[in-house]
Each structure stands twice: as C-alpha cells, then as structure tokens.
Amino acid sequence: MSFTIAIDGPAAAGKGTISKAVVAHFGFAHLDTGLLYRAVGKRVIDGEDALAAAQGLMAEDLEVDGLRTPAVAQAASRVAVETDVRTALVDFQRAFAARAGGAVLDGRDIGTVICPEADVKLFVTASPEVRAERRYRELSEAGHNTDFATVLADVKARDERDQGRAVAPLIPAEDAVVIDTSHMSIADAVAAAIGAVQARR
Ligand code: CDP
C-alpha cells in the first residue's frame, strides 16, 4: 500500500535531515526532489538546454558528484521557474510517491502540486539567518571556500525566486503541519515530524 509524506520548505530549512530521519524511522523510500532541479541546473551549466535536460533526466543523474554546490543551487532555482521543465519532472515524482511501502518526497511544491492528496504534509521552515548559518557550516565542512554573507544572500535570492514564481510557488499547503526549526534542536525537529506522521497513520 502507498503512504505519501510531503515535506516542503525553503532552502536549507532542514528538510533533508528530517526526511532521512522519518525514512529511517518508518522504513519508507526517500526522494529529494531538489536533486532533480539541481541535476537539470548542472546540465544547463554544462551547456545543455533546460527542457531537453529535464525530459532526458534519469535516476542515475541524481547520483553525480557536484550537485550540492551553491552555483548548482542557483542554476536549479533558475530552471525551476520554467513551466515546461517542471511539467517534465511531474511523472517521475508522482510514480515515486505511489510506490508500495511508503514514500517521503521533499521539495517546494510536493504538498501543493505534486501530491495534493499526500497522507501527511509538513512545511519545515526557519529564519533566513538560521538557515544560512546551517548551510554555511555544511558547505565549509564539505570544503567549499565561502563566507556567511554570501550564503545568506544566496538563500534569500532563492527564497525570493521560489516564492515569487508564477508556477508552483513555495507556499505551505493549507493542510500542512508547519514546523519552524529556528529554535529547535535536530532531535526536537525530528520528533515533531515523526509525531505528525504518527498522528496520521
Ligand atoms: O537543499 P536546498 O534546500 O538548498 O535546495 P534544494 O531542495 O536542493 O532545491 C534547489 C532548488 O530547486 C530550489 O531553490 C528550488 O528552486 C528548486 N526546487 C523546486 O522548485 N521544486 C522542488 N520540488 C524542489 C526544488
């Protein structure tokens, strides 16, 4: 039987960490939908057309190195405003959501557009400063040479683009449980997410 959990929220809000913990707890499969847009963005940086890249995307493309860089994140949010690109990625995401055994999809429009019938919808957020601090730490630990002000500007630019686009803008679904992790430990945020899922099972 399928059971779909939609986890949406802005850049670096902790969706990945929460998704992985929920998946480990319930034994579900996980799709980080941001990777789809990152993979398309990377191909555009490499010279390919965005729509052709989205139409030709394969599961293996999500495994390639270098998808987690700030440049690819910006390219991802640029291709993500294109309606045709988004449309080309819908079937893959819906098929994943419908798989037997349960699925967690995290992204920006899962609860609103991709899986409006999801069994559980979470909207994970935090202040831009807290998100930028977390992303700055992640990038530094991964060996990227960057600074907090640059990361904060990147987060804010993507927030603005993701929230302001005409198609599938970043917005909490009406029936989403909002988890603001600004002042929460990882353990508390994970517990809140697992509790919300448990309440719907
Ligand atoms: O990891 P982070 O939260 O920084 O970003 P991501 O989830 O990897 O997403 C990268 C970009 O892809 C976002 O800034 C969005 O523009 C876009 N995206 C989207 O439009 N819809 C999704 N379902 C997932 C990502």
Side-chain angles (χ1 to χ4, degrees):
M1 220 184 71
S2 71
F3 186 89
T4 308
I5 303 174
I7 304 184
D8 291 305
K15 302 183 298 292
T17 304
I18 289 178
S19 297
K20 287 190 188 88
V22 168
V23 158
H25 187 87
F26 293 101
F28 295 164
H30 176 216
L31 178 63
D32 172 356
T33 66
L35 279 182
L36 300 170
Y37 294 90
R38 284 175 182 262
V40 174
K42 174 131 189 339
R43 283 185 171 203
V44 168
I45 291 174
D46 294 342
E48 209 173 313
D49 170 70
L51 181 56
Q55 285 170 337
L57 207 67
M58 291 185 295
E60 302 88 87
D61 295 322
L62 309 184
E63 314 283 334
V64 305
D65 287 338
L67 294 184
R68 300 278 181 196
T69 69
V72 169
Q74 285 291 345
S77 89
R78 281 195 203 93
V79 299
V81 306
E82 294 185 29
T83 308
D84 293 352
V85 167
R86 303 199 71 87
T87 303
L89 300 174
V90 167
D91 288 351
F92 182 86
Q93 296 175 81
R94 290 198 177 139
F96 192 94
R99 67 201 280 151
V104 174
L105 285 81
D106 77 90
R108 302 291 188 286
D109 62 340
I110 308 303
T112 49
V113 175
I114 302 297
C115 304
E117 309 295 332
D119 297 280
V120 185
K121 297 179 188 178
L122 306 179
F123 191 87
V124 180
T125 189
S127 71
E129 288 73 18
V130 166
R131 290 186 283 121
E133 182 59 43
R134 290 177 187 159
R135 183 51 50 90
Y136 171 64
R137 233 179 298 136
E138 258 172 42
L139 289 169
S140 302
E141 279 165 16
H144 288 281
N145 185 16
T146 187
D147 59 81
F148 175 75
T150 304
V151 176
L152 179 60
D154 172 272
V155 160
K156 286 183 170 172
R158 280 203 290 141
D159 281 359
E160 219 175 286
R161 215 179 283 129
D162 291 348
Q163 287 160 354
R165 67 186 174 219
V167 53
L170 170 66
I171 180 176
E174 267 177 29
D175 49 349
V177 175
V178 177
I179 302 176
D180 185 333
T181 68
S182 299
H183 305 292
M184 277 179 150
S185 66
I186 290 178
D188 288 348
V190 166
I194 289 175
V197 176
Q198 209 88 63
R200 302 297 301 266
R201 284 196 91 202

